[in-house]
Amino acid sequence: MVKIQDIFLKSKMQRKIWQEFLTDLNIINFSESEIDVIDETIGIFDEEKLLGTGSIARNVIKYVGTCNKDGNGAARFNQILTALEMRLMAKGISHYFVFTKPEYQKSFEYVGFQLLADSKFGVLMEKGKPNIQDFLSKFDRGNEKQKNASIVMNANPFTFGHRYLVEMAAAENNWVYVFVVSEDKSLFTFDERFELVKKGLSDLTNVTILLTSDYLVSHATFPAYFIKNSEDIVTYQTSLDARLFKKWFVPYFNISVRYLGEEPLSSTTEHYNQALKNELEPEVTVKIIPRKKFGNTVISATTVRENIKNNTVAEILPRVPETTYNYILSNLTAIRERTKNGN
């Protein structure tokens, strides 16, 4: 008898069956960073035989695969998607994403998913409401008669380095859109980071500060379970991030320049900067600005976080605006406690 039931990945036996099934479908990336975020996994079983599977990680559908040896793969795909969507709805989630191989794009389009961005290695799609058009419509469109620039920042926390980058953009352009990454995977929460950016830039009259929702996220957070090679994963994540920005945000806000901070301390981020430049130009000029320094060292949010962790907070004062410093000082105990949890 064919039925859909839960697969519990903490069970060694169930995970082995699940993993072997997906490996046969050429999905072989089962890193802990991909698995640990999964909330639920389901499978279609004929007695003990697994015929299809899919997982949910928050509002992302992933690890979808079905057996098509008997020609029923499409029907099983629809069954899996329907079951996953019902579970998402039961959680109150009416808008969700899927990251998948390019060859599966049509299959997801047939069940109502919209393409957001694609790359050689994978595609990002969404379904439900509010979608990206709804998200963008909440903001005023960029003035086509102006030169508009953009900066995407995590600001964990907001430093004089971030401030310097925005000042450069504000001096060289009519308007600057600062997008603060909304994902809460940082020491400082999104609400904290957003508020510190607002306060730290409050005197600049040609700057608008916006959230990113689920659309502009760190390149490291895109699921990549369907890609084998680690170098390919970085390329996929970067190109997807850039192409989503270019396809949706650039025309809506009439952005012609994107500013990035130079990254002498991180080869990964420097690679990301160069990849963004390759993806966005010539339509969008990419300006990589040398980092602001205090003394002989660049101002880095990483250093500020280390100071908080090591309880050497006085050392951060020359590196952050007074608004950031005062917030950290007022909430030091709670913030330091988060550092113990690996944030």
Side-chain angles (χ1 to χ4, degrees):
M1 180 180 176
V2 177
K3 60 181 178 179
I4 291 180
Q5 61 188 57
D6 288 289
I7 297 174
F8 299 100
L9 298 183
K10 290 185 179 179
S11 162
K12 290 183 179 179
M13 182 179 294
Q14 291 190 33
R15 176 161 172 171
K16 183 174 183 290
I17 293 170
W18 174 80
Q19 198 161 309
E20 288 177 349
F21 175 80
L22 288 171
T23 300
D24 286 341
L25 297 175
N26 204 31
I27 295 175
I28 63 171
N29 184 343
F30 302 102
S31 63
E32 294 307 308
S33 61
E34 295 287 352
I35 303 298
D36 287 350
V37 296
I38 291 176
D39 300 316
E40 296 182 57
T41 297
I42 61 172
I44 299 176
F45 289 86
D46 185 357
E47 300 301 334
E48 297 298 317
K49 185 178 181 182
L50 182 59
L51 300 175
T53 185
S55 299
I56 297 169
R58 201 170 62 90
N59 64 338
V60 175
I61 293 173
K62 57 196 293 186
Y63 285 109
V64 175
T66 59
C67 173
N68 193 39
K69 291 178 181 178
D70 56 1
N72 291 320
R76 293 180 185 127
F77 174 85
N78 290 339
Q79 281 182 278
I80 287 289
L81 261 293
T82 298
L84 291 175
E85 289 181 283
M86 288 178 65
R87 293 193 177 207
L88 286 165
M89 292 294 184
K91 294 171 180 281
I93 299 172
S94 59
H95 172 252
Y96 32 91
F97 298 91
V98 66
F99 299 77
T100 190
K101 294 181 178 181
E103 57 262 38
Y104 299 142
Q105 177 182 332
K106 290 294 183 186
S107 297
F108 281 98
E109 285 177 339
Y110 287 142
V111 292
F113 280 81
Q114 170 186 219
L115 178 68
L116 290 175
D118 60 353
S119 75
K120 174 183 175 183
F121 301 102
V123 298
L124 165 61
M125 309 179 77
E126 72 172 348
K127 184 177 179 179
K129 290 282 190 176
N131 59 22
I132 193 164
Q133 290 97 335
D134 299 322
F135 169 72
L136 291 172
S137 69
K138 292 189 288 188
F139 312 113
D140 293 334
R141 283 185 172 273
N143 189 330
E144 296 181 1
K145 297 179 181 180
Q146 294 182 162
K147 184 181 178 185
N148 300 324
S150 64
I151 299 170
V152 180
M153 64 174 63
N154 198 37
N156 183 36
F158 185 75
T159 68
F160 279 131
H162 298 107
R163 164 86 188 192
Y164 176 72
L165 191 62
V166 179
E167 285 177 336
M168 290 283 289
E172 297 175 353
N173 298 273
N174 298 113
W175 207 265
V176 181
Y177 293 98
V178 175
F179 298 98
V180 182
V181 174
S182 299
E183 192 163 42
D184 263 326
K185 287 193 174 182
S186 304
L187 176 61
F188 290 79
T189 67
F190 166 68
D191 288 339
E192 289 171 329
R193 291 184 288 108
F194 193 80
E195 193 61 27
L196 290 177
V197 173
K198 280 174 59 179
K199 288 180 177 178
L201 298 174
S202 61
D203 60 310
L204 300 181
T205 58
N206 63 334
V207 174
T208 298
I209 300 149
L210 301 170
L211 72 165
T212 66
S213 186
D214 291 312
Y215 296 107
L216 296 183
V217 296
S218 164
H219 59 289
T221 64
F222 286 125
Y225 60 91
F226 46 85
I227 302 174
K228 303 175 186 178
N229 185 287
S230 58
E231 288 186 8
D232 290 343
I233 289 174
V234 174
T235 301
Y236 144 77
Q237 290 170 332
T238 305
S239 59
L240 210 59
D241 191 16
R243 291 178 188 183
L244 191 153
F245 176 78
K246 188 174 183 178
K247 179 179 178 180
W248 299 96
F249 286 73
V250 167
Y252 191 87
F253 294 103
N254 192 40
I255 292 167
S256 58
V257 191
R258 180 159 168 178
Y259 284 74
L260 305 171
E262 188 180 49
E263 288 294 345
L265 304 179
S266 170
S267 58
T268 300
T269 308
E270 181 60 24
H271 172 78
Y272 177 65
N273 282 356
Q274 291 302 321
L276 272 179
K277 191 175 179 69
N278 294 338
E279 287 284 348
L280 295 179
E281 292 187 335
E283 292 86 352
V284 178
T285 301
V286 175
K287 289 195 173 185
I288 301 177
I289 306 300
R291 297 278 290 276
K292 185 176 178 64
K293 292 184 177 182
F294 173 68
N296 294 320
T297 59
V298 299
I299 295 176
S300 165
T302 302
T303 304
V304 172
R305 295 195 300 273
E306 288 172 355
N307 288 139
I308 293 171
K309 185 175 182 178
N310 298 332
N311 205 23
T312 53
V313 179
E315 294 181 21
I316 73 174
L317 186 55
R319 295 175 171 84
V320 300
E322 187 177 350
T323 48
T324 298
Y325 182 76
N326 289 341
Y327 183 82
I328 291 172
L329 214 57
S330 300
N331 298 274
L332 185 59
T333 302
I335 296 170
R336 286 199 71 224
E337 190 63 30
R338 295 177 203 165
T339 66
K340 298 177 184 178
N341 298 325
N343 289 324

